[in-house]
Amino acid sequence: MAGTVAVISQSDDKYNGKLTWFVILSCMMAAMGGVIFGYDIGISGGVTSMEPFLKRFFPSVYVKMIEDTKVSNYCKFNSELLTLFTSSLYVAGFVASFFASSITRVFGRKPSILIGGAAFLVGSAIGGAAQNVYMLILGRLLLGVGVGFANQSVPLYLSEMALPKYRGAFNNSFQFSIGVGALIATLINFGTQKIRGGWGWRVSLAMAGLPSFILTAGAIALPDTPNSLIQRSTPTKDLLPKAKMLLQRVRGTQNVDVEINDLINASNNSSNLAKTNTDQFKRILHRECRPQLVMSIAIPFFQQVTGINVIAFYAPLLFRTIGLGESASLLSAVLTGFVGMSSTFISMLVVDRFGRRALFIFGGLQMFFCPLCIGVVLATQLPDHGGINKTYACLVLVLICIYVVGFGLSWGPLGWLVPSEIFQMEIRSAGQSITVAVSFLFTFIVAQTFLAMLCNMKAGIFFFFGGWVLVMTGFVYWFLPETRNIPLEKMNQIWKDHWFWCRFVD
C-alpha cells in the first residue's frame, strides 16, 4: 500500500501490520475532537479575565476587581454566575455522553464525531454573537453537547485504529490535541484583548468555529473502525468483508487473518453475553466487570481532583489574583499552555516504552510537591489586601509550569488512554461514556466551586489538591495493572493476573 511509514511487529507476534499514512491521517483528523475541547478550556479563562467582557456580562465582578479595595484578593472573582458560564458546558457534556454511547454503539464512532463537531460549531456561533448572559450560557451548553460526543467517541476511535505497539502514542495525541487547542486559544485571547472597542472577546469565542468546522467536514470522510463494523455486523447486514478490507488498508497488509479472527471472536463473545443482557450499562455492573467499572470512575475522578482545570480554566484570573496585569496574566497563561502541550508530546514518545504505570507514578510525585509549594508561597506572601512581590509571583508561575509538566506527562493523556483500552467489546461504549460522564461531572464541580473555595480556603486550597494527588498516586501503584502493548481483545488477562482484581474476574 502507498504511504507506509515503517514496518513494526505487533505486541502479539501473530499479528501483521505496518504503520500507514492512512491510519495516521485518519487519527489526526479524529484528534481534532481534542482541539475543540482544548480551545474551549483555554478560551473561557481568558475571556473571563478581559475587563470589557466582565463589565458587559458580569458587572458585579468587574466592580470588585477594579473599584472595591476592601474585597480580599482571594475573593475578587467569586461569582456563581461567572463560574456557571464556565461550568455549564460540562453539565451538557455529562448528559450528552450517555446519548453518545448509544449512537457510538449502534451507528459507529464516525457519526458521534460528526455530531460533536456540528454541535460545537453552532455553539461557537451563538457565543460569539451573544447579547446577554443567557445567550452566552446557551452557546456553552451547545459546546458541551459537542464536547460530550467528541470525548466519548474520539479516544475509542484512536485506540481501535492504532497498532497495539503504538496505541499509547496514538491515544495520547488526543490529550496533545487538547493542549494544542488550549494554547491556540490563549494566544488568540492575548491578541484579541488588545482590540480597541472592547469586542475582542467576541472574536475569541467565535473562533472556536474554525476547528469545529474542520472536525465536522473531516468526519464525513473518516472511515469507521474495523472493531465497530464487526460489532455492528448482523446476518441481514454482513459487514465482515468490509471490516476485513478496512483492516487490510489500516494495517497496510493483506495478511490480517489472525487479527480479524480475534476481533470476530471478541464480537461473538460480546453477542453471546448480550443475549442474556442487552443493556451495556447493566452488564458493566456485573462482578466480573468490577475492575473496569472502578477504573472508569476512579481515573477521571482523580484526573479532575488534581486541580489541573483550576489552572486551565482560571489561570488568567489566578495570575491577576497574585498581582499580574491583564496582558501579563494572559501571557502567563500562554506559557503554561505551551509547557503543557510540550510535555504531552514527550509523553506520546515515551508512553509505549516505559508504560502507563511508570508515567502515572512519576508525574504524580512531581505534581504532589508543586501545589504544596504554591500554597506555602501564597500563605506567607499574599495577604488579603495589597499585592505580592514580583519575585514570588514569578516563583508561583514557575511552580505552576512544573506542575503542568507533570500532568502533561501522566494524568493528562493517560487519563484518556487507559480507560479507552481496558474495556471488553461488549461494554466498551458504555465504559467510555461512564468515563466521560464522571470527568464532566467532577469538572463541573471543580469549575463551579473553585472561586468560592479560593475565597474561603485561600492558599489552603492548594494543599487540598496536593493531598488528592498523593492519594491517586497510591491508587495507581496498588490497583492499576500495566496495559502497555496488550491487544484490546486480550486485555481481560491483566485483571486475572492482578493480585487484587483476580478475585472478581472469572
Side-chain angles (χ1 to χ4, degrees):
M1 172 182 172
T4 59
V5 179
V7 178
I8 69 167
S9 172
Q10 285 277 35
S11 57
D12 186 329
D13 57 12
K14 296 182 296 182
Y15 290 0
N16 298 296
K18 302 173 183 178
L19 187 58
T20 64
W21 282 113
F22 177 78
V23 71
I24 291 174
L25 294 176
S26 298
C27 289
M28 285 177 62
M29 182 56 66
M32 287 297 294
V35 175
I36 65 173
F37 187 30
Y39 188 93
D40 176 80
I41 291 174
I43 216 69
S44 57
V47 297
T48 53
S49 72
M50 295 182 185
E51 294 178 9
F53 179 83
L54 291 174
K55 191 174 183 179
R56 181 183 180 104
F57 296 107
F58 307 97
S60 62
V61 177
Y62 176 79
V63 170
K64 285 193 296 184
M65 181 181 72
I66 300 298
E67 301 176 7
D68 195 342
T69 58
K70 295 181 180 180
V71 177
S72 169
N73 285 322
Y74 295 96
C75 300
K76 288 184 180 293
F77 296 96
N78 185 21
S79 165
E80 291 186 4
L81 189 60
L82 179 62
T83 53
L84 182 62
F85 165 74
T86 298
S87 60
S88 56
L89 178 147
Y90 300 95
V91 176
F94 173 80
V95 176
S97 64
F98 290 104
F99 289 97
S101 172
S102 298
I103 292 177
T104 301
R105 174 174 53 86
V106 177
F107 300 103
R109 285 50 168 155
K110 174 180 173 177
S112 286
I113 297 174
L114 182 61
I115 293 172
F120 201 92
L121 181 61
V122 176
S124 62
I126 293 176
Q131 298 299 315
N132 52 57
V133 72
Y134 302 106
M135 283 188 69
L136 277 179
I137 293 178
L138 175 61
R140 296 285 294 171
L141 291 174
L142 286 171
L143 295 179
V145 172
V147 170
F149 273 85
N151 285 18
Q152 200 277 342
S153 52
V154 170
L156 287 183
Y157 187 93
L158 297 174
S159 286
E160 290 179 348
M161 289 289 279
L163 295 155
K165 185 175 182 179
Y166 288 128
R167 188 174 62 241
F170 271 84
N171 197 279
N172 279 12
S173 69
F174 181 69
Q175 179 66 30
F176 178 73
S177 299
I178 293 176
V180 170
L183 179 60
I184 291 172
T186 51
L187 287 169
I188 289 174
N189 280 336
F190 182 71
T192 58
Q193 171 260 333
K194 301 178 183 297
I195 295 177
R196 294 182 179 180
W199 52 272
W201 59 269
R202 291 192 183 277
V203 178
S204 293
L205 295 179
M207 283 292 288
L210 180 58
S212 57
F213 174 78
I214 296 173
L215 177 65
T216 305
I220 297 174
L222 277 180
D224 214 328
T225 67
N227 308 60
S228 178
L229 291 173
I230 292 172
Q231 185 181 23
R232 293 184 286 117
S233 182
T234 64
T236 57
K237 187 179 181 182
D238 187 6
L239 298 176
L240 296 183
K242 184 178 179 180
K244 183 174 182 178
M245 291 176 60
L246 178 59
L247 186 62
Q248 289 171 338
R249 191 177 183 191
V250 167
R251 298 295 181 242
T253 178
Q254 296 297 307
N255 186 12
V256 296
D257 291 342
V258 175
E259 185 172 3
I260 199 74
N261 288 334
D262 280 350
L263 291 173
I264 293 171
N265 289 335
S267 179
N268 289 338
N269 291 336
S270 171
S271 299
N272 291 335
L273 290 169
K275 290 177 183 178
T276 58
N277 192 341
T278 59
D279 190 334
Q280 287 194 36
F281 289 100
K282 290 181 180 179
R283 171 68 187 164
I284 202 172
L285 296 177
H286 288 188
R287 178 181 174 84
E288 63 268 22
C289 297
R290 191 66 47 78
Q292 295 92 328
L293 176 63
V294 170
M295 294 301 164
S296 70
I297 296 172
I299 289 178
F301 166 74
F302 285 135
Q303 188 186 48
Q304 297 312 312
V305 295
T306 60
I308 187 61
N309 282 326
V310 169
I311 307 301
F313 297 149
Y314 299 119
L317 300 185
L318 185 62
F319 293 136
R320 296 207 72 171
T321 296
I322 63 176
L324 299 180
E326 184 176 1
S327 294
S329 297
L330 291 172
L331 187 60
S332 299
V334 170
L335 176 61
T336 57
F338 177 77
V339 167
M341 183 187 71
S342 301
S343 59
T344 303
F345 181 74
I346 295 173
S347 180
M348 288 174 58
L349 300 179
V350 302
V351 65
D352 289 310
R353 174 175 297 181
F354 296 108
R356 285 59 161 154
R357 279 170 46 85
L359 291 183
F360 264 132
I361 295 170
F362 176 79
L365 293 176
Q366 182 175 336
M367 294 167 66
F368 169 66
F369 291 104
C370 291
L372 301 185
C373 295
I374 293 171
V376 170
V377 172
L378 295 184
T380 58
Q381 301 299 323
L382 182 63
D384 282 342
H385 305 285
I388 186 174
N389 184 283
K390 295 300 181 184
T391 301
Y392 287 106
C394 292
L395 177 59
V396 170
L397 177 59
V398 170
L399 289 170
I400 287 176
C401 286
I402 297 173
Y403 168 86
V404 170
V405 168
F407 183 83
L409 287 172
S410 59
W411 280 92
L414 301 185
W416 295 107
L417 166 61
V418 173
S420 74
E421 62 184 3
I422 61 174
F423 301 111
Q424 305 99 300
M425 187 177 290
E426 70 268 13
I427 60 170
R428 191 169 295 162
S429 182
Q432 184 67 15
S433 289
I434 293 173
T435 299
V436 174
V438 172
S439 177
F440 281 148
L441 175 63
F442 285 96
T443 302
F444 167 77
I445 293 172
V446 170
Q448 188 65 27
T449 60
F450 169 68
L451 294 178
M453 292 173 67
L454 180 64
C455 180
N456 289 281
M457 298 175 66
K458 300 181 181 179
I461 192 171
F462 293 96
F463 299 110
F464 171 81
F465 287 123
W468 276 113
V469 172
L470 184 62
V471 170
M472 68 198 207
T473 303
F475 175 85
V476 167
Y477 180 80
W478 288 107
F479 296 109
L480 181 66
E482 182 56 66
T483 59
R484 178 173 66 101
N485 288 353
I486 300 174
L488 294 179
E489 285 63 47
K490 300 185 177 181
M491 193 66 70
N492 204 46
Q493 187 63 40
I494 65 173
W495 311 111
K496 296 179 181 179
D497 296 336
H498 190 269
W499 71 273
F500 180 78
W501 299 118
C502 62
R503 69 192 69 182
F504 296 95
V505 181
D506 184 4

